[in-house]
Every structure is written in C-alpha cells, then in structure tokens.
Amino acid sequence: MKITVVGTGFVGVVSAAVYSSLGNQVIGLDIDPNKIKSLKQSKVPFFEPGLEKLLIEQQRAGRLQFTDNYKKAISEAELIIIAVGTPSKKTGAVDLSYIFSACKSLAPHIKPKVIIAIKSTVPPGSFTQIKKTIQELTAKKFYLVSLPEFLKEGTAVSDTLHPDRVVIGTDNAQVFKKLAALHQPFKAPVVKVGIESAQMIKYTANAYLATRITFINQIANLCEHNQANIEEVIEGIGYDQRIGHHYWYPGLGYGGSCFPKDVKELAAYAKNHNETDNLMIQLDRLNEARIPSLINHWGKIVGGWENKQVAILGLSFKSNTNDTRESPASRIVPQLLSSGAKIKAYDPKAVWKPANQQNYQQVDSIKTATAKADIILVLVEWPEIINFDYSTIKVSKKQFMIDARNQLEPDSISQAGFSYLGIGRN
Ligand code: UGA
C-alpha cells in the first residue's frame, strides 16, 4: 500500500517506520524542512528506544522516504494518515488548527477514493468540519476514518508492532476491509466501530488510565494519615482479577503530552454539554493540584525550601524518553525556585531549564547534582537513578531523600543515613 503520514512528530515518525516495516511504501511529510533534513539522514529529533535503528533499516530497504512537498507526498497515496499535534487551548479545549491546516494543504492533491485516516486525537463532532475543509478544496471522493493511536513514549516501537488492539472507526465495509488487511500482520484484535465510538475509545482509554493514577494517589494521601503502606495496599487489591497489579504506581500525578491534554478536552467537552458534575472536571482539578500540594506537604517536613540545596533527579515526564512536556520537574522547579531553593538537576537524556535560571543548574551526573544537597528529589524512575548507590554520596548533615515514585528501598535509604519520604508509604 502507498501510505503518506502527515506530521513527523512522535506518533508520525513511529507510524511511518512501522508501516514501512510491514512492506508498505511510506512517505513521511512535514512542513518543517529541518525535521525532514534530519529524518532523511535517519536522525530522530527525540529519544525513543529502537526508532533510529528501524528508520535506518527501512530507508536502506527503499520503502521509507521523507519530504516537505505536499504534492509529491499526497498525489500517489492510497492512504493518508494524519498524525499532527492536537494541543490544548487556554480553555482546555482541544486546538484542531494543525489538523485543518494539514487538510487544506493535502486536499488539492488527493487521488480519488483515497482513505484519510485521522490518527491525531480529536473529539466526536470534529469530523464535520474536517470533512468540509477538505471538500471545499477538492471535488474528489475520499473516505474519512478514525484510526486512534495507543502507543506509549519509551516503548513506542514495540507498542506499535505489538498493539493490544487496532481500532478502526468507519461505516464503510470496503474501507474497513482494506485497513484491517493493512493491520493484519500485527495479529491483534481489529475492532470495527463507528467514527465517534473510535474517537471516544481513544479518550476513554486515556481518561480511564488517568483516573486510575489519580485514584491510587488519592488513596496514598489517605495512607499518610495511618500506618497503612500504599505498596502493600496495591499488592493486596491487585490479586482481584478485576483490578490487577499493573499501572498503579503512585506518584506526582499524570504528565506527558497526552493525559493532561485529553482529560482537559473531556472536561471542556463536558462543560460545553452542560455535564457540569462530570468526573473529568474533577480529575483535571485534582491532577493540577497534586504537585503544589505535595511540595507544600514536603516543605513542612524539610523545614521549608528557602536556601535549601535541592537535587532534582529526572527531568523527563517519565523514564525512557527525553520528552519534558508536562514533566514533574517543569512544575516543581519553578515552585521551588520561587520558594528560595537552589537547584542542581540531572537527567540521563532530557535537557530542560526553567524560564528564570537563577539558582538553577543542570549537571551531568547524579554525583554532582546530589553533592552537598539538603534534599534529593527522585522524580523519574530512570534505571540509572533508582539503581544508584546513594550511600556513596552521603554527607554528614541531615539529608532528606524524597522518593516521588516509590522506587527506592526505604530501609536501605534510611540505613545510608537519609530521612526517607515516599508517597503513602510508612
Ligand atoms: C499514554 C497512554 O498510556 C498511551 O496508551 C496513549 O497512546 C498515549 O498516552 C497517547 O495518548 O498518545 P504516555 O503519555 O506515553 O502514553 O505515557 P504513560 O506511560 O501512559 O504515562 C502517562 C503519565 O502517567 C506519566 O506521567 C506517568 O509517569 C504517569 N503514570 C503512569 C503514573 O503516575 N502511574 C502509573 O502507574 C503509570
């Protein structure tokens, strides 16, 4: 199949490389010539395990190309996959402007009966305007389909090669058949649903996972008031097969480029439809409040943040990615700096700095970041950070170790001489 993927951001590049690995002829298209220039040389502008290798293999095999030329990329395509960003507006509602501008650029060049699959996360109701935008610029027939994405950053290549399911939102049996055949090599269940169900499936999956994270953090808050340990609670509930042990790590709330924006869109959608008590509104509020309230809580225990030397370990939003969008550090660092702390930060892959860099420094090792620190904040579960031998950096003064993802062994940290603080863990 001749496929063009519009947008070479995270989802776009991974999708282009994986569809190419299935033997399809794929073109990745982007309006940013610099991105295209580096992708042509198999250079991925972000860190994602296994992606560069796949890109090199597919380009060498002659199945994968990149271009910024719409005419060249679109005119032969049998399937166009739109994978441009859908960020949040200030109101929390989704901003579809990149989708509309991609549709305007591609419409004049499409082949008759092309399938246009929207992989970007867009809400129910949005296809009316998307369809109209394309129809205003072409008289050719096209099929608009919802093809939501479920990959996770850090494991994106294997998630895409081995999906739990493929969801195809279309009312057209022929179009479904073609797309089901395309995805058949994944050997995953292929779910045929209506367009708006597919869109709701995407939002519901993310909202459910975000609810789960918020739920366990709320229970962890309650454990702080008694002798219960949240890790033991998780172990105990997880044997219930309806609940399970996975995806229950307590922490700083959910971050990254997807959950916060998707929950905000659902909250805005609920408000727009007069569902003013909808859980999504409360979910977003709780997630926004989580980091400031933990920083206040820990601030009281460590005797305030003013003039404290703080080591921040982990700047990405989670491990195995250098993506810092909605990362814990991006919210914690400004709050600590404005409370008078002095910060040395370290991350194995991510680079990040606050707007005001006074009293902030990103350094190149855990040792340098933690030297003379009063408080060490472990924010991300990078293996290098959680496996580090903290007894080697102990200094004589009182030092706190805040384990914001419950990844360290409290006893060994205490034995190394630190005052250990976790999440809902006694
Ligand atoms: C998420 C979904 O997991 C994917 O299925 C989805 O395709 C993607 O969003 C998307 O919509 O594009 P991702 O943002 O890469 O993927 O990250 P996750 O690994 O799901 O983590 C999201 C956030 O939740 C992170 O801040 C993580 O630290 C936090 N989290 C995750 C927890 O606090 N506790 C957990 O148990 C798991």
Side-chain angles (χ1 to χ4, degrees):
M1 204 176 204
K2 286 186 177 167
I3 302 174
T4 291
V5 180
V6 183
T8 59
F10 193 78
V11 171
V13 179
V14 174
S15 304
V18 169
Y19 284 119
S20 157
S21 76
L22 302 182
N24 300 290
Q25 280 297 331
V26 182
I27 301 179
L29 170 67
D30 204 289
I31 51 170
D32 181 344
N34 290 328
K35 257 192 200 171
I36 294 301
K37 197 173 158 203
S38 55
L39 286 166
K40 277 184 171 170
Q41 297 160 4
S42 301
K43 286 193 191 121
V44 182
F46 45 83
F47 172 68
E48 181 60 39
L51 184 56
E52 203 148 286
K53 185 170 166 272
L54 190 64
L55 222 55
I56 293 169
E57 276 169 19
Q58 295 312 310
Q59 283 173 308
R60 279 199 187 137
R63 284 190 293 263
L64 178 59
Q65 299 171 52
F66 290 97
T67 181
D68 57 2
N69 184 325
Y70 261 89
K71 188 166 186 239
K72 180 179 164 207
I74 298 295
S75 50
E76 293 298 313
E78 298 159 80
L79 167 64
I80 299 167
I81 295 175
I82 300 188
V84 297
T86 50
S88 291
K89 292 186 203 160
K90 279 211 170 79
T91 56
V94 65
D95 174 359
L96 298 178
S97 55
Y98 296 120
I99 298 264
F100 292 128
S101 95
C103 287
K104 280 182 193 157
S105 304
L106 68 85
H109 308 296
I110 58 170
K111 255 173 60 149
K113 298 191 178 172
V114 67
I115 301 173
I116 303 176
I118 309 286
K119 207 169 241 314
S120 312
T121 304
V122 300
S126 52
F127 268 28
T128 314
Q129 194 56 36
I130 294 173
K131 204 170 196 172
K132 201 166 151 239
T133 304
I134 302 172
Q135 280 168 338
E136 277 168 3
L137 293 161
T138 182
K140 292 183 189 130
K141 191 172 172 63
F142 61 93
Y143 302 103
L144 200 55
V145 172
S146 172
L147 188 65
E149 180 53 63
F150 300 100
L151 63 79
K152 300 184 287 304
E153 293 190 25
T155 51
V157 173
S158 69
D159 285 352
T160 311
L161 282 167
H162 310 287
D164 292 336
R165 78 304 210 180
V166 174
V167 173
I168 300 174
T170 176
D171 298 327
N172 184 304
Q174 283 310 312
V175 169
F176 173 77
K177 214 169 143 194
K178 273 194 191 165
L179 291 180
L182 171 69
H183 293 91
Q184 189 271 335
F186 294 146
K187 296 190 168 38
V190 178
V191 188
K192 180 182 182 303
V193 292
I195 286 167
E196 299 205 338
S197 297
Q199 293 163 337
M200 276 311 282
I201 287 170
K202 168 67 192 185
Y203 276 106
T204 306
N206 276 3
Y208 172 72
L209 294 169
T211 306
R212 210 169 146 101
I213 293 163
T214 306
F215 172 81
I216 208 64
N217 287 336
Q218 293 286 298
I219 298 292
N221 284 353
L222 300 183
C223 292
E224 297 274 348
H225 298 284
N226 52 51
Q227 293 305 303
N229 179 329
I230 190 69
E231 300 301 329
E232 292 178 358
V233 173
I234 292 168
E235 195 194 348
I237 60 170
Y239 288 106
D240 185 324
Q241 291 188 19
R242 296 167 300 176
I243 297 176
H245 281 113
H246 61 284
Y247 216 84
W248 273 137
Y249 311 117
L252 296 150
Y254 54 82
S257 63
C258 305
F259 287 177
K261 92 171 163 67
D262 290 350
V263 171
K264 279 183 197 304
E265 162 57 19
L266 282 186
Y269 190 91
K271 283 182 202 157
N272 271 343
H273 292 82
N274 224 10
E275 297 278 344
T276 48
D277 272 346
N278 193 279
L279 175 63
M280 298 305 120
I281 298 166
Q282 176 73 346
L283 194 59
D284 180 43
R285 201 185 63 69
L286 288 171
N287 199 56
E288 286 294 323
R290 176 109 187 121
I291 285 181
S293 82
L294 280 172
I295 292 299
N296 278 341
H297 169 68
W298 289 326
K300 285 181 198 142
I301 300 172
V302 302
W305 297 101
E306 196 167 5
N307 291 323
K308 295 281 164 48
Q309 185 66 50
V310 180
I312 295 282
L313 301 184
L315 293 168
S316 53
F317 86 91
K318 63 172 186 178
S319 61
N320 282 320
T321 177
N322 63 350
D323 193 343
T324 58
R325 286 175 287 178
E326 300 280 333
S327 70
S330 68
R331 304 191 60 205
I332 288 173
V333 167
Q335 195 179 339
L336 293 187
L337 289 176
S338 65
S339 305
K342 297 181 178 70
I343 297 177
K344 282 190 184 149
Y346 170 74
D347 190 283
K349 292 283 177 195
V351 176
W352 180 86
K353 48 182 185 298
N356 178 359
Q357 288 164 56
Q358 209 187 354
N359 292 326
Y360 175 87
Q361 204 188 342
Q362 179 168 352
V363 297
D364 62 4
S365 73
I366 297 179
K367 254 200 151 84
T368 315
T370 53
K372 300 194 180 129
D374 299 296
I375 302 138
I376 301 171
L377 260 163
V378 174
L379 297 186
V380 182
E381 66 283 17
W382 280 103
E384 184 189 334
I385 293 175
I386 61 178
N387 296 325
F388 187 80
D389 181 1
Y390 289 95
S391 65
T392 60
I393 48 124
K394 180 75 185 92
V395 291
S396 50
K397 63 181 172 180
K398 180 162 175 78
Q399 275 188 305
F400 288 92
M401 172 77 77
I402 302 181
D403 176 12
R405 297 306 309 265
N406 282 358
Q407 295 288 312
L408 305 177
E409 212 19 83
D411 288 345
S412 60
I413 295 295
S414 302
Q415 274 156 26
F418 295 93
S419 296
Y420 176 89
L421 296 174
I423 304 268
R425 217 178 186 192
N426 296 301

